[in-house]
């Protein structure tokens, strides 16, 4: 990685940890903050993940493991509530580089997308609905709820992306580092015992 990319990764990592930005926006903001051209070559997500882990080790080593555990506990509660929809935890909380400002990302695999909203209505849970462009032909519906963690000064956003059940097989293929990019309830429970991300 070039010196310029390392600098972008370091600034973006700080924005991810200290401002709760996701990787894409963090890299864009880092380029702007450094006064670089908009078409500057960006570090990969894997390189940024390494920079985030380094930042956490340097500045939050004493508190990040507790924050990560609290987020995984919150994620597990929501996965159990939504167990009819094959929930899988993904993103920073699954991979282990989440901080107190991180969101919780859960993928649901369903036959009827509206069933997710019906379940939340039946549980009396306030929610918002949106969508993301996941690089596929059609945007992916996303259900957003806000949850509290005891002792934290802010709410935590839980984003549940609603996929067709048939997409699950491809979703479990290893990422570029040979890791499973998401895990089910049992896998999350193992993480919480082991304290490490899935290899």
């Amino acid at each position: 990685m070039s010196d310029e990319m390392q600098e972008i990764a370091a600034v973006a990592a700080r924005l991810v940890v200290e401002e709760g930005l996701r990787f894409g926006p963090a890299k864009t903001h880092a380029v702007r903050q450094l006064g670089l051209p908009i078409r500057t070559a960006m570090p990969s997500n894997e390189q940024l993940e390494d920079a985030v882990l380094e930042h956490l080790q340097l500045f939050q080593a004493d508190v990040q493991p507790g924050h990560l555990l609290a987020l995984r506990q919150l994620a597990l509660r929501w996965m159990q509530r939504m167990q009819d929809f094959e929930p899988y935890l993904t993103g920073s909380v699954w991979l282990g580089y989440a901080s107190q400002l991180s969101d919780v990302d859960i993928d649901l695999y369903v036959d009827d997308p509206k069933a997710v909203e019906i379940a939340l209505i039946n549980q009396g849970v306030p929610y918002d609905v949106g969508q993301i462009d996941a690089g596929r032909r059609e945007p992916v519906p996303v259900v957003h709820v806000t949850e509290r963690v005891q002792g934290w000064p802010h709410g935590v956003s839980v984003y549940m992306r609603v996929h067709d059940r048939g997409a699950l097989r491809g979703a479990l293929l290893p990422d570029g580092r040979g890791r499973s990019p998401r895990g089910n309830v049992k896998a999350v429970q193992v993480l919480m015992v082991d304290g490490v991300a899935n290899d």
Side-chain angles (χ1 to χ4, degrees):
M1 186 163 53
S2 69
D3 290 345
E4 188 174 74
M5 274 192 183
Q6 287 179 336
E7 194 173 10
I8 293 169
V11 173
R14 179 181 57 77
L15 293 170
V16 168
V17 173
E18 296 179 9
E19 298 187 20
L21 294 188
R22 290 180 180 262
F23 277 18
K27 288 191 271 190
T28 302
H29 281 278
V31 166
R32 287 184 189 146
Q33 284 190 18
L34 293 167
L36 297 170
I38 222 157
R39 298 193 178 209
T40 299
M42 301 275 197
S44 68
N45 284 346
E46 288 81 9
Q47 290 168 329
L48 180 49
E49 182 184 335
D50 289 343
V52 168
L53 287 168
E54 183 177 347
H55 187 95
L56 289 168
Q57 187 60 39
L58 285 171
F59 299 106
Q60 295 191 16
D62 55 337
V63 296
Q64 191 264 346
H67 293 162
L68 177 61
L69 178 60
L71 289 167
R72 284 177 170 168
Q73 290 170 334
L74 185 157
L76 184 60
R77 288 197 301 273
W78 272 101
M79 292 171 76
Q80 290 167 335
R81 289 179 76 165
M82 306 302 284
Q83 61 186 343
D84 292 342
F85 307 109
E86 293 200 59
Y88 278 76
L89 180 63
T90 188
S92 63
V93 179
W94 165 248
L95 292 172
Y97 59 85
S99 68
Q100 192 179 40
L101 294 179
S102 296
D103 302 324
V104 173
D105 294 306
I106 297 171
D107 287 333
L108 305 177
Y109 296 90
V110 305
D111 295 316
D112 176 11
K114 283 294 180 187
V116 174
E117 292 185 54
I118 292 169
L120 291 172
I121 291 169
N122 289 340
Q123 294 178 32
V125 176
Y127 66 92
D128 298 311
V129 179
Q131 59 184 24
I132 58 167
D133 180 0
R136 302 181 181 89
R137 282 176 291 182
E138 296 183 3
V140 175
V142 180
V143 176
H144 168 248
V145 299
T146 302
E147 184 68 276
R148 303 294 301 186
V149 173
Q150 186 174 3
W152 288 20
H154 56 80
V156 176
S157 287
V158 179
Y159 291 98
M160 292 178 278
R161 295 177 290 198
V162 183
H163 303 273
D164 183 87
R165 197 177 296 274
L168 179 55
R169 178 182 293 183
L172 298 179
L173 295 173
D175 65 13
R177 293 183 163 174
R179 306 169 299 188
S180 175
R182 49 190 51 80
N184 60 15
V185 166
K186 183 176 179 182
V188 174
Q189 289 170 330
V190 170
L191 278 189
M192 290 167 63
V193 171
D194 293 347
V196 294
N198 190 27
D199 291 328

